[in-house]
Structure formats: C-alpha cells, structure tokens
C-alpha cells in the first residue's frame, strides 16, 4: 500500500467555514441550543451575521445585519465583555435580537457572549433555545472560555490575524497545513469522514489552552490524541505527563497529583514532586478521569481554578501553569447524576469534548491501519515485509473489534508470530473477542485422531466466520452442513460458541 494512501486529503485544511462549524458543533455538546449565531462587528458599525447553526436557522438570518446604534443593549454586552443571559419579557420596549426574522416564545433561553481578542472587540455570539432555563449557571460559566475559541475562528474568518498572539497564530496556521497527522503522532491513521472530523478538532483546539475531554471506548487511541494535541500546541517543547486515575486510591491520588513533603506520612522518606509540578508549562493527561477518587476532586478543582496547590504535608503554595487533557470511556454525566463525580469539576474539564469513533464505525480505515502496523512489525521482526492474503483482509474487515485499534494491533502482532513467514493467512488471526478457543486450532502437518481433526476443522470454520453459525456467512454454510448438525458436533466435541 502506498504511503500517499494514508495521507489526509487537502480538503482537510481548516477553512474558516469548516473551523466555525466544528467549534459550534463542539459547543452544542456542552450547551444545548437550537440556534447559534456568530456576528462580526463591521467597520460601518453594524453587526453582520457570519455563521448560523441549529434547527432554527433560516436563509434570511444568514443575510441579517443589525445597526449597533439601534441596539445599545448588544453594544453594552460587547463593551463590558461578560457573558449575559437575557430575560425575555412582555415589555413593549424589549426587542428580541432577531425580531422579525425568527419568532421565539417569550421567556425562551437566550445567551449573549462577546467575542474579544487581546482587548479588541470582534463581535458577538448568541445562543437561543425555545425552552426556558436551558442555560444553567454551569453552562454560562464555561461560555466565556468557549467564546475565546470562537473568537480565534472569527479572527481568521475576517482576516484579523494581527489581533492574535503571534506565536498562537503561527501554530494555528501550521496546524491547518498539517495534512498527515500520523507524521506528528504515530498511529493516528485514517481517511473516513468520522476520523477526519476528529483530526480537524485536534488541529483546531491544539493551539488554545482550553481543557479537552477525549471520549471513547477502550483502545480507540485516546492517549495518542492527547499526544497529538500536545505536539501541535505551543506547549510542545514542555512536558507531557500522563496519569492513569483508575490505578489510584485516595491515599495515593493526592500524593501522585500534588507531591508530598518528607515525613508527611508513613513511608515518605523524601520529598517528592507530583504530576502537577512535573507538568509545569506543559500538559497533564488524566486518563480514565472518571475513576478519580471523589475525595481528591475538590483539591483538583481548586488547583484548576486558582492555578496553585500545596504538596501533601506542605505549607508552601506552588504556582501551576498546566493545561489539562482528560480521557474517559464512561459516561461522566451519568456519574455526576449518581453523585460519583463532581458536577463543577466535570464542567471545568469538559470545555472541548472530542469523541473518538470505535473501529467498527470506521471499517474503511482498517486496512490503512493494518498496513501501518504491518510496516512497524516488519521492522520489529527483522525486515520480514509482512503482508495479508485477501481472505485475511476479509477476516479483518468482518471482525467487530470490541477492543478497537489496540486489538487490531495486538491481533496483527500475534499473526506475525504465528505465520513464521511473510504471509499472514486467516488462521493466523486470533481475535480477542471470540468465545471459543481459537488457539486450539493450530496449523499442523501431522494427522491426529478423527475427533481431533474434526474439531480443528470446526474451529477453523468458526475462526473464518467470527463465531457465526447460522446464515449465508455462517460456519454451517461454509462446512455445507445443517446448523443443528454443526451445533450437535460442537456439543459432542465440547466446543463452546
């Protein structure tokens, strides 16, 4: 397979429209809205609609302009620079932002977020929902952070790069030109639409200092995505420190995160820096953050809010300039409802979520990933130039991959060992999610007792059909026998499906 087949196409370059669409989509995962509008402040002192997203979007709205002189309330929000919730009333002097364009019920939810960069007013973001009280205090509190991300995208849209920090601008532009992110961080290979959307989000959020929550099943590559964000950020020369929260209990968690002083507890024979200190100026990656002990969550929240912390047993306050990236394979919102995760910490960490698709949702990427891993394995095993037969390729594509990319990598490494050569065939592929023991099937030139040979044949058929017995693609059809007869044989030979 040629290298250029795994390079992400030029169409992935971040255009202003594509950038804004990604950001607004990410915001909707945190702040539910039915209408999001981005308005830019124009030289003629008007607010011009530049981007619209949501169920209430109309063509008329996309061409809408508001004279600032006629809306002192909007001007005041931009001048003050604070996110504001608008209280809709029956007052005849009250005017809805898009009056005459969209009819919204009295009392609907409306949020105004000013867009600023380095003190310069760029415009305004409005979020609307027909239901009342949709924008909770927690959501309002993170809107200011999100508006900074929108401001960057809007600045690019109106060619206002001179308003941005020079270093951040260069990184943002560089990331837009990165066509093959696999050259930045190993393993991020693919060209399906769902995967390209992930790559664009990585390139978009990397230059900012926003917290990122990476969501996805086990084995989807959450740590690799975190490393990609680090590599494309302005902290790339600073540390990337990872901590697996699932391995912590309360006694360990505080010391691991914040360090301890000598003698602060039994066994503390020397002072020790925690992960926060080690990550100074860089990125702290909290893997499986949903398993973080409840007892440590208040201190973590305070450290994020104030940028300071103390070691266990210490009195000295330590400054912390650390960007947080988290990952989880559980539903944190459900854990919040169950009282197992602090709601305020959740909102603090979940500023920009990136959801990674399971491998079964991007099956067209399986062969690209397989080619990538086989190239690595060829080098690891002394230049074997490993390759797959067509039947092996079909077997890979038909597997469900509950272990995702990690399972694919492990499966190919096992196959490379079992093949004893350069060609990987279907019977070399031992999948992890099978209920029957495929390892019982071994390629062997000798002939054993009749029942043992029959068992091998059945196991081989089950291996090729991923355990399926019935149907056109089932093992019974492959063996040209009735499914009930096959099940009877399996029961006799103690083969569990």
């Amino acid at each position: 397979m040629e290298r250029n087949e795994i390079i992400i196409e030029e169409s992935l370059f971040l255009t202003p429209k594509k950038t804004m669409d990604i950001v607004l989509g990410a915001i909707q995962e945190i702040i539910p809205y039915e209408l999001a509008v981005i308005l830019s402040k124009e030289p003629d002192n008007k607010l011009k609609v530049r981007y619209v997203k949501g169920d209430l979007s109309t063509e008329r709205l996309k061409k809408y302009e508001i004279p600032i002189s006629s809306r002192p309330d909007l001007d005041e929000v931009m001048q003050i620079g604070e996110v504001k919730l608008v209280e809709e009333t029956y007052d005849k002097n009250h005017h809805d932002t898009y009056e005459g364009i969209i009819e919204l019920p009295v009392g609907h939810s409306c949020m105004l977020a000013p867009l600023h960069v380095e003190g310069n007013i760029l415009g305004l973001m409005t979020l609307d929902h027909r239901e009342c009280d949709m924008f909770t205090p927690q959501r309002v509190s993170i809107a200011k952070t999100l508006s900074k991300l929108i401001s960057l995208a809007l600045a690019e849209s109106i060619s206002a790069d001179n308003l941005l920090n020079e270093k951040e601008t260069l990184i943002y532009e560089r990331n837009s030109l990165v066509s093959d992110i696999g050259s930045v961080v190993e393993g991020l290979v693919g060209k399906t639409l769902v995967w390209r959307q992930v790559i664009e989000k990585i390139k978009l959020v990397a230059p900012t200092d926003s917290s990122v929550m990476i969501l996805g099943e086990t084995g989807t590559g959450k740590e690799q995505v975190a490393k990609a964000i680090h590599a494309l950020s302005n902290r790339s020369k600073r540390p990337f420190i990872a901590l697996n929260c699932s391995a912590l209990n309360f006694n360990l968690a505080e010391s691991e995160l914040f360090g301890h002083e000598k003698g602060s507890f039994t066994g503390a024979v020397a002072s020790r820096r925690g992960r926060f200190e080690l990550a100074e100026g860089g990125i702290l990656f909290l893997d499986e953050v949903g398993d973080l002990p409840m007892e440590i969550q208040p201190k973590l929240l305070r450290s994020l809010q104030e940028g300071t912390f103390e070691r266990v047993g210490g009195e000295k306050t330590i400054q912390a300039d650390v960007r947080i990236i988290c990952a989880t394979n559980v539903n944190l919102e459900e854990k919040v409802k169950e009282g197992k995760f602090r709601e305020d910490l959740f909102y603090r960490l979940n500023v920009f979520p990136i959801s990674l698709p399971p491998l079964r949702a991007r099956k067209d990427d399986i062969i690209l990933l397989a080619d990538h891993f086989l190239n690595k394995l060829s080098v690891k095993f002394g230049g074997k130039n490993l390759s797959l037969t067509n039947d092996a390729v079909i077997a890979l594509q038909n597997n469900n991959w509950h272990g995702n990319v990690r399972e694919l990598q492990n499966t190919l490494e096992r196959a490379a060992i079992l093949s004893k050569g350069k060609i990987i065939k279907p019977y070399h592929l031992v999948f992890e999610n099978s209920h029957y023991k495929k390892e019982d099937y071994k390629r062997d030139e000798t002939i054993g007792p009749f029942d043992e040979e029959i068992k091998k044949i059945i196991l081989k058929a089950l291996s090729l059909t991923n355990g399926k017995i019935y149907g056109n693609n089932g093992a019974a059809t492959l063996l040209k026998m009735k499914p009930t007869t096959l099940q009877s044989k399996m029961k006799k030979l103690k083969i569990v499906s």
Side-chain angles (χ1 to χ4, degrees), residues 15-250:
T15 64
K17 185 178 184 303
K18 196 179 294 184
T19 297
M20 196 66 71
D21 191 62
I22 292 171
V23 178
L24 292 176
I27 289 176
Q28 195 169 32
E29 295 184 32
I30 308 167
I31 304 177
Y33 62 76
E34 292 180 312
L35 179 65
V37 181
I38 307 300
L39 305 105
S40 62
K41 184 179 179 182
E42 299 298 309
D44 59 359
N45 211 32
K46 290 182 179 180
L47 285 173
K48 176 183 177 182
V49 173
R50 284 187 172 265
Y51 296 96
V52 180
K53 190 177 181 69
D55 295 339
L56 299 179
S57 172
T58 68
E59 288 301 316
R60 285 184 65 197
L61 185 58
K62 294 176 182 178
K63 301 176 182 178
Y64 192 51
E65 291 186 351
I66 304 173
I68 296 177
S69 59
S70 68
R71 294 301 305 269
D73 54 332
L74 301 182
D75 189 33
E76 182 182 15
V77 171
M78 292 189 290
Q79 295 296 335
I80 295 176
E82 295 294 334
V83 176
K84 179 181 179 181
L85 286 182
V86 178
E87 296 183 4
E88 299 290 336
T89 71
Y90 287 100
D91 187 343
K92 63 180 181 180
N93 294 319
H94 171 79
H95 297 283
D96 192 22
T97 309
Y98 308 111
E99 190 174 46
I101 303 295
I102 296 176
E103 294 300 324
L104 293 169
V106 173
H108 76 272
S109 301
C110 178
M111 185 190 300
L112 305 177
L115 303 177
H116 290 191
V117 172
E118 293 188 347
N120 295 277
I121 300 173
L122 295 183
L124 190 69
M125 174 176 70
T126 69
L127 301 178
D128 289 276
H129 196 290
R130 284 171 291 189
E131 294 184 21
C132 62
D133 299 326
M134 288 299 295
F135 303 144
T136 63
Q138 292 88 350
R139 286 164 176 162
V140 172
S141 68
I142 63 172
K144 188 171 183 178
T145 301
L146 294 170
S147 67
K148 294 177 182 177
L149 201 56
I150 286 286
S151 297
L152 290 177
L154 181 58
E156 181 195 33
S157 172
I158 60 179
S159 302
D161 290 344
N162 59 311
L163 301 178
L164 300 172
N165 175 274
E166 182 179 354
K167 184 176 182 181
E168 188 168 276
T169 303
L170 290 173
I171 293 173
Y172 190 77
E173 292 176 349
R174 179 201 67 185
N175 293 354
S176 296
L177 296 173
V178 174
S179 59
D180 181 11
I181 205 165
S183 65
V184 178
V185 174
E186 186 178 300
L188 297 182
V189 176
K191 64 178 184 180
T192 55
L193 177 60
V194 289
W195 188 245
R196 293 183 329 203
Q197 290 172 341
V198 168
I199 298 302
E200 290 196 25
K201 286 186 177 182
I202 292 171
K203 293 193 288 185
L204 175 64
V205 78
T208 74
D209 264 340
S210 298
S211 297
V212 179
M213 180 74 74
I214 305 171
L215 310 167
E217 297 177 5
T218 299
T220 49
K222 294 186 287 294
E223 185 167 353
Q224 295 303 97
V225 169
K227 288 180 178 178
I229 293 171
H230 174 253
L232 295 173
S233 74
N234 57 6
R235 297 174 181 261
S236 59
K237 303 299 182 183
R238 304 297 297 167
F240 177 90
I241 303 296
L243 177 65
N244 191 325
C245 299
S246 63
L248 301 176
N249 58 41
F250 171 66

